[in-house]
Amino acid sequence: MSATPWQAALSLGFTQRTPRTVLSHRQHNGPLLVQRPFYPESDGTAHLYILHPPAGIVGGDELRIEVQLHEQARALLTTPAATKIYAHPTHYAQQVLQAEVSNHAVFEWLPQETIAFNGSRCRNKVHIDLQDQGLFIGWDTMCLGRPAIAESFSMGELCQRFQLFHNGQPIWLERVCYQGDEPALREVWGLQGHPVFSTFVCAMVEQGLVSAVREALGEVNSAQESVAVTWLDGVLVARYLGEKVSRAHQLWQQAWAVVRQQCLNKAACAPRIWAT
Amino acid sequence: MPTDHALLHLLHLVSPSLPVGMFAYSQGLETAVQQGWIRNAQQAATWINGLLQHHVGQVDLPVLQRLYTAFQQQDVTAVEYWNRYLYACRETQELRAEEIALGRTFARLLRELAVPEAAEWYQRSPPICYASLFALASVHWQIPLNSCLQGYTWSWLENQVAAAVKLVPLGQSEGQTILLQCLPRLPCYVEQALSLTDDEIGANTPALAFASAWHETQYARLFRS
């Protein structure tokens, strides 16, 4: 447990300077860092890894990432490792991603999961502001407890908020909050005993994308896992509920490939770090 | 004996014969049955009570309360804000389509019943939600806030039980038993809803989002959601 809370903040700005998107603004406080962008794609999309060397946070800590994409800019952000939230009896850890995506900009947010250790308290927020033809593709994955070592989430709290705005108006708002051991973790109307829940989101997109994504994901529903796709006035939302983070991300990569092909007319280009 | 006009108006608003067409919507219950999640009265009661407390109680009711206050204060900006907020909270395309269809029918009905503000909200973009109009009608007929919230909850509950009776299927008296089991809890859910801050609004019922999204492609359907 850290003696003094960490307030880590990272602010990034991306500008299109043909033929590529450059990292035109970078400011950080505390242990949140980025390396230099990679350019593995011919359209100049900047691939950037966000590093958080401590790898975990505890009650009182805050990780805040702000991203701004100017017109036409294209950036893909990912993280090399899961964020672990350690137990704390009283204080909340906070994790915030706030992004502004200008007209014709493309922001891809494809982070590793957040693991809420038993007894941890955490508030997560993803807030996306899209302008006009801005495009967001992203996912967000939560794991309650550590199923690999049979640790369930019997104490603590995890709140997860997803907010998507288009031209200043809310299009999709979601907020879930789970207390350790509460009925919502087990009951049929809740998580049905599954420790992993994940959401894949793209906006603003045409409704036609829904059937393409449903087809790419295939028939996956079983006692172990469920996937459902819907379309909310320009926002494609796919939800996963199951046992394994790796499985959720495998499915989302299938969906991501289809979305990239249909919306950007290019193939998926998995960040190299995912293979390590 | 004095006449309780507010009570009579509330009974009118929550009557299943109010022609807004709510009976056509199961809100995921049809899929929950098809998935085998609900096979008997006890499981139906668990599903309905779970959604009542963690969906209606954590989204519809706190927003309904804010809409009621906004109409009471004739604060159009706040009405628009909370109406849009509620619509943005709806998790699936079908739940949104339901909101739009019910809202439109309810707005037309209220206009014909000479509720003056209803005309303004008819055919708006973004669409007016059913709950927003329920707040408007409650304020118009001077139904107290608590009764408005309890009436809305009762109306939702009765509709869900009717859907369960048809879909599971259940006997009529089994359905009535679920209603009676849930009844004493309604005031607690309303009280809980009234204590929520803006930041705490949000449902804890992921299975509803799955069931409702699957319903969009379900082959055989009796209900529209």
Side-chain angles (χ1 to χ4, degrees):
Chain A
M1 207 176 288
S2 60
T4 336
W6 272 323
Q7 306 293 324
L10 179 66
S11 165
L12 303 170
F14 294 92
T15 307
Q16 176 64 12
R17 293 206 186 112
T18 311
R20 56 174 49 169
T21 292
V22 298
L23 181 59
S24 51
H25 166 78
R26 176 175 65 173
Q27 195 182 356
H28 79 97
N29 272 311
L32 256 181
L33 311 164
V34 287
Q35 298 179 322
R36 232 179 309 165
F38 297 94
Y39 293 95
E41 299 189 70
S42 60
D43 69 347
T45 296
H47 285 220
L48 199 67
Y49 302 160
I50 296 182
L51 309 176
H52 178 242
I57 55 175
V58 70
D61 292 351
E62 184 177 340
L63 292 184
R64 188 178 181 84
I65 301 172
E66 285 173 18
V67 183
Q68 189 172 19
L69 284 92
H70 298 285
E71 286 204 11
Q72 312 279 348
R74 291 183 169 195
L76 183 160
L77 268 58
T78 187
T79 54
T83 302
K84 295 164 185 148
I85 316 288
Y86 300 123
H88 195 286
T90 49
H91 285 53
Y92 287 81
Q94 307 237 25
Q95 206 180 189
V96 179
L97 169 80
Q98 180 130 10
E100 238 183 275
V101 186
S102 306
N103 195 18
H104 293 294
V106 181
F107 177 43
E108 293 169 282
W109 171 246
L110 312 174
Q112 302 297 328
E113 74 277 18
T114 296
I115 304 171
F117 281 35
N118 188 30
S120 64
R121 293 171 191 278
C122 186
R123 296 196 175 116
N124 289 291
K125 183 165 129 179
V126 176
H127 180 106
I128 309 292
D129 266 307
L130 293 171
Q131 291 298 321
D132 302 320
Q133 307 286 312
L135 178 68
F136 171 74
I137 308 171
W139 61 57
D140 201 48
T141 305
M142 297 286 148
C143 183
L144 286 169
R146 286 176 291 171
I149 59 161
E151 176 192 278
S152 62
F153 194 68
S154 60
M155 290 180 303
E157 187 177 310
L158 176 70
C159 295
Q160 166 65 3
R161 185 181 286 278
F162 217 120
Q163 303 178 318
L164 201 138
F165 284 66
H166 184 235
N167 290 337
Q169 297 295 346
I171 307 297
W172 177 55
L173 304 172
E174 190 159 288
R175 188 249 189 202
V176 293
C177 195
Y178 297 111
Q179 312 280 333
D181 214 27
E182 75 162 309
L185 305 187
R186 300 181 294 274
E187 288 292 347
V188 68
W189 44 266
L191 293 171
Q192 305 187 343
H194 298 296
V196 176
F197 57 99
S198 181
T199 313
F200 174 82
V201 181
C202 325
M204 305 292 286
V205 294
E206 298 292 323
Q207 190 177 352
L209 195 59
V210 172
S211 50
V213 167
R214 278 178 177 152
E215 203 177 309
L217 294 171
E219 282 295 324
V220 287
N221 298 324
S222 67
Q224 285 76 43
E225 60 182 13
S226 301
V227 173
V229 188
T230 193
W231 185 80
L232 307 170
D233 302 274
V235 187
L236 181 146
V237 177
R239 297 175 170 99
Y240 171 91
L241 187 54
E243 314 291 325
K244 279 189 173 350
V245 167
S246 57
R247 179 66 178 142
H249 288 171
Q250 179 198 358
L251 289 165
W252 296 160
Q253 283 186 54
Q254 287 164 228
W256 179 52
V258 169
V259 172
R260 270 195 154 209
Q261 204 60 58
Q262 298 227 349
C263 299
L264 300 167
N265 197 27
K266 65 177 184 178
C269 173
R272 271 182 303 169
I273 205 165
W274 290 357
T276 58
Chain B
M1 194 175 73
T3 309
D4 188 342
H5 290 286
L7 174 65
L8 294 175
H9 279 298
L10 181 65
L11 292 175
H12 171 225
L13 271 184
V14 301
S15 165
S17 72
L18 192 81
V20 291
M22 202 190 260
F23 62 85
Y25 300 92
S26 86
Q27 299 191 356
L29 198 139
E30 181 161 35
T31 305
V33 172
Q34 193 253 344
Q35 287 286 318
W37 297 348
I38 304 175
R39 295 177 199 271
N40 55 44
Q42 196 196 332
Q43 289 170 336
T46 302
W47 174 264
I48 291 169
N49 190 56
L51 295 187
L52 192 57
Q53 184 174 6
H54 299 277
H55 193 268
V56 177
Q58 288 177 202
V59 177
D60 295 46
L61 294 187
V63 178
L64 182 60
Q65 176 212 353
R66 285 156 176 78
L67 284 160
Y68 182 99
T69 310
F71 275 115
Q72 214 171 24
Q73 298 172 348
Q74 300 181 322
D75 182 346
V76 176
T77 313
V79 170
E80 282 176 345
Y81 176 86
W82 288 109
N83 179 65
R84 199 185 272 271
Y85 191 101
L86 182 62
Y87 184 77
C89 286
R90 295 302 184 215
E91 300 91 330
T92 66
Q93 188 175 12
E94 264 190 12
L95 291 174
R96 290 184 176 206
E98 172 178 345
E99 202 64 78
I100 294 172
L102 290 179
R104 189 174 297 142
T105 317
F106 200 11
R108 193 188 303 131
L109 175 68
L110 290 176
R111 193 181 54 170
E112 282 158 16
L113 297 176
V115 176
E117 301 94 326
E120 293 168 35
W121 295 99
Y122 181 58
Q123 286 185 336
R124 272 229 181 183
S125 180
I128 184 88
C129 294
Y130 168 80
S132 308
L133 293 158
F134 197 91
L136 165 65
S138 300
V139 170
H140 176 76
W141 283 307
Q142 297 178 325
I143 297 164
L145 174 63
N146 249 301
S147 309
C148 161
L149 297 179
Q150 289 186 26
Y152 179 96
T153 316
W154 167 256
S155 162
W156 180 90
L157 172 63
E158 196 177 32
N159 189 60
Q160 281 281 292
V161 169
V165 165
K166 211 177 281 181
L167 289 165
V168 179
L170 304 176
Q172 290 296 341
S173 54
E174 287 181 302
Q176 295 304 307
T177 306
I178 297 177
L179 281 178
L180 273 187
Q181 280 170 350
C182 291
L183 202 61
R185 304 197 181 119
L186 299 191
C188 315
Y189 298 158
V190 167
E191 204 174 310
Q192 170 201 317
L194 289 171
S195 74
L196 296 179
T197 63
D198 290 0
D199 268 355
E200 290 170 329
I201 295 173
N204 270 21
T205 51
L208 168 65
F210 281 82
S212 174
W214 290 334
H215 193 264
E216 290 166 11
T217 54
Q218 191 167 317
Y219 178 64
R221 315 164 355 138
L222 290 174
F223 286 80
R224 294 172 70 183
S225 77

